[in-house]
């Protein structure tokens, strides 16, 4: 009764066996129990389902930033208060994600994803009827809580379904989230801006769809969980020692800091920057934000397979430092040039996401939930705290100054020189 429940991790030489899938997750689970012929390799149906769920989850999350102009006008909010909404949303995710990941490393919860999505469902309903700043903060916190439950366990499921192609699986998972983030401004421009704050309630139907899908994924996930005695994991002879692992994790956190704070500056304030500097309408500015976020989604997808093929360290180097010339040019560009530059920034900068997460997972094998939670949590936390600080700075020095300052953030990528060389097949 006291044995911990852990997820049986797949080794590169023995990937997860995936049944010959018939339509539907329930059918796939039933087929797995039956003695049907199995095929080694990624569980594409599961990867597609968890990626689509990530798409739905992050679509709903991105709505919060996309409706900032409406909330700002309706409640006479300043930039600091806008930053506090982002902080309220991100802080619950940042605080709880590592704890959720640590807990599920010890006791996996196959249906926790569906339950966590329920917090997002109620958060959106509350945001649609909120009539005070305090209620808006509570609603944003509920959506953040749903994210805290979703990300660590879904990242583990993506790895389990990878068939050994960890970077590819993480990229498919990230693609759904990044594309969902990019859709938020478009949906806000088409629905929320014309119909107002109450129309946010319509998006709760997306949360309900996600709950249904995640329940089916939980049915696939449950047979993958086994009860076994904790065993000592043998360290690969070429793996870095404990001190170098700690240094590497700190470096990866610093890289996430530079990446996520810059992305947060664009996703939270780029709309206001375009309105203030170029006189773009709110709907037009949201479409420009969509262009950046769509490029961000594409870069997140290609980064993982490139890391599998050429090495994650090289992809991290390129993705962080490669964006620097474009971020330095952005504050001095015109409207059209700004749109072009944000495409390059999104493509290059986001390609690090999958490689950073998989690199961190390989540094600490069999702690995938906790590591995923820490890095997703750090990303959310940095984004939220950074948005609040940048909002305060924008109130005093202006939005243009904020983008001139943030342009230097990718230079932190130079710390990647401290990352250790990893064995080709980490154990």
């Amino acid at each position: 009764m006291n044995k911990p429940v852990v997820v049986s991790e797949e080794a590169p030489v023995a990937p997860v066996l995936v049944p010959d899938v018939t339509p539907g997750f329930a059918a796939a689970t039933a087929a797995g129990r039956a003695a049907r012929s199995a095929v080694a390799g990624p569980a594409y149906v599961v990867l597609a389902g968890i990626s689509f769920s990530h798409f739905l989850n992050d679509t709903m999350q991105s709505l919060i930033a996309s409706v900032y102009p409406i909330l700002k006008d309706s409640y006479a909010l300043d930039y600091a208060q806008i930053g506090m909404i982002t902080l309220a949303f991100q802080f619950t995710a940042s605080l709880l994600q590592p704890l959720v990941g640590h807990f599920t490393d010890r006791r996996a919860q196959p249906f926790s994803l569906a339950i966590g999505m329920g917090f997002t469902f109620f958060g959106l309903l509350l945001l649609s009827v909120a009539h005070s700043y305090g209620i808006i903060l509570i609603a944003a916190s509920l959506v953040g809580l749903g994210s805290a439950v979703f990300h660590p366990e879904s990242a583990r499921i993506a790895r389990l379904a990878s068939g050994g192609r960890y970077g590819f699986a993480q990229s498919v998972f990230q693609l759904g989230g990044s594309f969902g983030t990019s859709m938020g401004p478009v949906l806000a421009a088409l629905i929320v801006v014309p119909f107002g704050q109450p129309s946010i309630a319509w998006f709760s139907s997306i949360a309900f769809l996600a709950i249904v899908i995640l329940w089916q994924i939980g049915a696939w996930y449950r047979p993958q969980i086994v009860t076994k005695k904790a065993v000592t994991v043998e360290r690969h002879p070429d793996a870095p020692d404990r001190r170098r692992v700690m240094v590497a994790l700190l470096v990866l956190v610093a890289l996430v800091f530079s990446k996520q704070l810059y992305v947060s500056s664009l996703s939270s304030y780029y709309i206001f920057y375009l309105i203030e500097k170029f006189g773009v309408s709110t709907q037009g500015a949201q479409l420009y934000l969509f262009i950046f976020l769509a490029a961000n989604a594409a870069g997140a997808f290609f980064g993982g397979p490139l890391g599998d093929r050429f090495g994650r360290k090289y992809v991290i180097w390129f993705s962080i430092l490669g964006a620097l010339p474009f971020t330095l040019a952005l504050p001095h560009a015109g409207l059209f040039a700004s749109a072009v530059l944000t495409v390059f920034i999104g493509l290059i900068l986001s390609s690090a996401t999958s490689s950073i997460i998989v690199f961190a997972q390989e540094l600490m094998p069999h702690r995938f939930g906790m590591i995923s939670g820490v890095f997703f949590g750090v990303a959310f936390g940095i984004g939220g705290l950074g948005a609040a600080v940048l909002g305060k700075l924008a109130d005093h020095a202006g939005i243009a100054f904020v983008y001139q300052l943030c342009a230097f953030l990718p230079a932190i990528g130079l710390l990647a020189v401290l990352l250790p060389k990893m064995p080709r097949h980490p154990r």
Side-chain angles (χ1 to χ4, degrees):
M1 294 296 290
N2 294 325
K3 294 178 181 178
V5 179
V6 298
V7 174
S8 179
E9 286 294 341
E10 68 279 18
V13 295
V16 174
L17 293 181
V18 183
D20 184 18
V21 181
T22 55
F25 290 105
T29 304
R33 295 193 189 100
R36 300 182 63 178
S37 60
V39 180
Y44 292 110
V45 173
V46 178
L47 283 177
I50 202 68
S51 180
F52 183 60
S53 299
H54 200 186
F55 164 76
L56 297 177
N57 181 78
D58 285 20
T59 296
M60 293 178 287
Q61 290 180 7
S62 66
L63 279 174
I64 294 178
S66 299
V67 300
Y68 282 169
I70 295 174
L71 298 177
K72 188 176 188 295
D73 292 340
S74 299
Y75 300 97
L77 306 179
D78 57 29
Y79 288 124
Q81 288 175 307
I82 292 292
M84 285 301 297
I85 297 174
T86 302
L87 179 60
F89 159 61
Q90 309 270 21
F91 183 72
T92 50
S94 176
L95 180 67
L96 294 179
Q97 279 195 49
L99 297 178
V100 171
H102 179 69
F103 177 76
T104 54
D105 277 336
R106 295 176 174 271
R107 188 179 297 276
Q109 304 293 324
F111 298 104
S112 61
L113 297 178
I115 296 171
M117 191 60 65
F119 291 108
T120 301
F121 177 83
F122 288 113
L124 290 174
L125 289 177
L126 185 60
L127 184 61
S128 69
V129 298
H131 294 295
S132 69
Y133 182 63
I135 299 299
I136 293 173
L137 292 178
I138 293 173
S141 298
L142 284 174
V143 177
L145 183 58
S147 175
V149 177
F150 176 81
H151 282 100
E153 199 70 341
S154 57
R156 188 204 309 277
I157 290 174
R159 187 177 178 90
L160 269 174
S162 70
R165 298 175 62 188
Y166 305 130
F168 167 76
Q170 190 62 225
S171 283
V172 171
F173 173 65
Q174 292 295 333
L175 175 65
S178 299
F179 188 56
T181 300
S182 70
M183 286 302 296
V186 175
L187 294 176
L190 296 176
I191 298 175
V192 181
V193 172
F195 298 102
Q197 183 182 346
S199 64
I200 297 174
W202 301 352
F203 293 94
S204 62
S205 61
I206 298 178
F208 182 78
L209 174 61
I211 290 171
V212 173
I213 295 173
L214 290 172
W215 192 267
Q216 297 298 318
I217 289 176
W220 174 88
Y221 182 30
R222 183 168 52 181
Q224 317 298 323
I225 302 169
V226 297
T227 303
K228 63 181 182 180
K229 293 181 180 179
V231 295
T232 302
V233 180
E234 247 184 71
R235 191 176 69 88
H236 192 286
D238 297 327
D241 57 28
R242 183 180 296 273
R243 185 186 66 83
R244 294 206 68 192
V245 166
M246 291 299 106
V247 170
L249 288 175
L250 290 175
V251 168
L252 292 174
V253 168
L255 299 184
V256 170
F257 169 81
S258 66
K259 170 187 174 299
Q260 190 63 26
L261 184 55
Y262 189 84
V263 171
S264 178
S265 73
L266 281 175
S267 60
S268 294
Y269 301 111
Y270 189 49
I271 290 175
F272 300 112
Y273 174 76
L274 294 175
I275 292 173
E276 180 180 303
K277 185 172 182 178
F278 302 110
V280 179
S281 67
T282 298
Q283 287 178 304
Q286 286 169 331
L287 293 177
Y288 277 103
L289 178 59
F290 165 74
I291 292 173
F292 163 71
L293 294 175
N296 205 55
F301 175 74
F302 289 110
L306 289 174
D308 284 340
R309 183 173 180 82
F310 299 108
R312 311 193 204 289
K313 188 174 178 179
Y314 297 110
V315 173
I316 292 171
W317 262 107
F318 170 74
S319 64
I320 300 292
L321 282 179
L324 185 59
F326 301 104
T327 61
L328 290 174
L330 182 63
H332 311 287
L335 179 59
F336 176 76
S338 294
V340 174
L341 287 171
T342 57
V343 169
F344 284 103
I345 292 170
L347 284 171
I348 298 172
L349 198 61
S350 65
S351 62
T353 304
S354 299
S355 292
I356 288 175
I357 294 172
V358 176
F359 199 109
Q361 290 174 337
E362 291 173 348
L363 285 169
M364 296 191 69
H366 306 292
R367 291 293 180 269
F368 299 121
M370 185 188 72
I371 286 296
S372 300
V374 166
F375 276 84
F376 281 119
V378 166
F380 277 107
I382 289 172
L385 182 60
V389 173
L390 293 177
K392 195 71 175 177
L393 184 62
D395 283 332
H396 289 84
I399 287 288
F401 176 77
V402 167
Y403 281 102
Q404 291 173 353
L405 182 65
C406 289
F408 294 92
L409 284 171
I412 296 176
L414 287 168
L415 291 174
V417 72
L418 300 176
L419 292 176
K421 182 179 179 180
M422 297 294 291
R424 187 168 181 80
H425 296 294
R427 307 291 294 185

